[in-house]
Amino acid sequence: MTEVLVVELLGGLGDVLLALPSVVALSRTHGSPVDVVTFTPGDALLRHDPTVGSVFATSDHSEGAPRRFLEEVLARKRYDVIVSTTAYDGIGELCAASAPVSATSLWRGAPDGHLVDRRFLALLADDGVIAPAYADEPLRLVLTPDEAAAGEAALGDVRRPAVLVPGSGMPVKEWGGARFAALAAGLAGAGYDVLTAGLEVPAELAGLPRLPPGDLRHLAAVLAAVGTRGGVVVGGDTGPVRIAAAVGCRVVGLFGPTSAGRYGFSAATASNLQGWPGCPVRLPSAITEQECWWTGRCPYAPEPACLADLAVERVLAAAVGD
Ligand code: SF4
């Protein structure tokens, strides 16, 4: 059996899901489950996936700790193929030195318009690490029947849900409470039952019901139920929206500082809306070097000018499927 390892130590929930189609493609190509090294709590998203073998997860993000954790994993087991989305702290070189076959340069080139998870697959196919037949493996998160049933039950008698995800952990990526409130009114007028999700809910949305609480897998199951009821999830470039896309729910992504062409949701059920596409500050291929990303401030306006460019009417039309 070919032993395959994927190293995904970038840190966000969304990063795990960006790597997941590659995990599936590697498993299908080599005919064996793929081990994964990643962070908690995103490791939970891989549970019950038959293409995933052992998951080694750490919660220690401190300097040097992720590499030491990987070294411990590699000391316990030999791999024939190692793929890494992660290069910092010499992790890429460590992976390349630890297996006869490796792919550790998945961010090379990074052309705008090539979605990150699709780009990973294309590069793995170019490198001969996956079979071309699996180079367009869709993103999908596996739920057990019991989990799916629990998600349906938790959603109760909500008939046609619209779930708003206003927070992102980074204010420069957020559309703003007033716009979400106007969107909520429009969605209610279109017959949707509007709910909110996420840890941060702005005051303007405080009167709306919240999505039922639970852990990450329960969230995924509830979002799958939103999808089966003809619902929609609207939010920025953030984990819960990517989870919704991964369980087949229709999503509308609101992209400001991040490029929709790079970080947009690859699901066929996704609408990726880009605010101010021509902003000269945006660096689709080098987000961490982008001025507004590391300062957290837009140089053009008190709030992100790109997100202000996304009119409520445009988002509402995408959400109701016009
Ligand atoms: S500079 Fe402003 S308008 Fe441009 S991407 Fe950054 S936040 Fe958006």
Side-chain angles (χ1 to χ4, degrees):
M1 185 170 93
T2 306
E3 299 286 358
V4 184
L5 177 69
V6 167
V7 177
E8 201 306 293
L9 288 168
L10 295 177
L13 295 179
D15 294 309
V16 178
L17 294 176
L18 287 170
L20 183 52
S22 294
V23 171
V24 177
L26 283 159
S27 175
R28 300 203 195 293
T29 297
H30 297 282
S32 53
V34 170
D35 290 356
V36 180
V37 174
T38 190
F39 285 113
T40 62
D43 62 311
L45 301 175
L46 304 174
R47 203 178 299 148
H48 304 304
D49 189 324
T51 68
V52 177
S54 299
V55 178
F56 307 102
T58 177
S59 56
D60 190 347
H61 294 251
S62 62
E63 191 173 346
R67 181 188 166 113
R68 286 195 296 277
F69 182 76
L70 175 61
E71 287 171 344
E72 289 166 16
V73 171
L74 294 173
R76 291 200 297 269
K77 185 170 176 180
R78 297 192 67 79
Y79 287 95
D80 304 299
V81 180
I82 300 181
V83 169
S84 179
T85 64
T86 310
Y88 65 79
D89 200 15
I91 286 175
E93 288 89 341
L94 174 62
C95 291
S98 301
V101 175
S102 64
T104 61
S105 181
L106 297 184
W107 294 93
R108 67 183 186 267
D112 197 14
H114 205 170
L115 296 172
V116 170
D117 61 349
R118 302 300 95 190
R119 177 79 177 163
F120 285 173
L121 288 163
L123 292 176
L124 290 175
D126 285 352
D127 291 349
V129 184
I130 64 168
Y134 304 119
D136 202 19
E137 189 66 37
L139 170 64
R140 92 284 179 276
L141 190 157
V142 175
L143 294 168
T144 67
D146 285 351
E147 287 176 325
E152 283 287 348
L155 207 48
D157 59 3
V158 175
R159 286 182 301 113
R160 198 177 180 213
V163 179
L164 309 184
V165 186
S168 75
M170 289 180 68
V172 76
K173 287 168 55 176
E174 293 170 1
W175 197 39
R179 293 188 187 91
F180 270 111
L183 176 67
L187 287 165
Y192 284 86
D193 301 311
V194 185
L195 304 97
T196 62
L199 296 176
E200 310 147 40
V201 175
E204 295 92 331
L205 303 180
L208 292 172
R210 304 288 302 269
L211 215 58
D215 62 16
L216 263 189
R217 293 199 64 83
H218 186 66
L219 172 66
V222 172
L223 293 172
V226 169
T228 59
R229 295 184 195 193
V232 62
V233 174
V234 184
D237 174 15
T238 186
V241 186
R242 205 169 286 280
I243 291 172
V247 293
C249 184
R250 201 160 58 79
V251 300
V252 176
L254 310 178
F255 292 87
T258 47
S259 162
R262 287 284 293 152
Y263 294 92
F265 308 112
S266 61
T269 53
S271 300
N272 298 310
L273 306 183
Q274 178 80 69
W276 191 13
C279 175
V281 171
R282 189 181 295 110
L283 300 174
S285 304
I287 183 77
T288 55
E289 295 167 26
Q290 186 172 309
E291 177 189 342
C292 59
W293 191 259
W294 48 261
T295 64
R297 287 192 308 274
C298 179
Y300 297 107
E303 62 174 351
C306 47
L307 288 165
D309 183 51
L310 285 174
V312 172
E313 296 73 21
R314 182 181 171 201
V315 178
L316 178 61
V320 301
D322 281 356

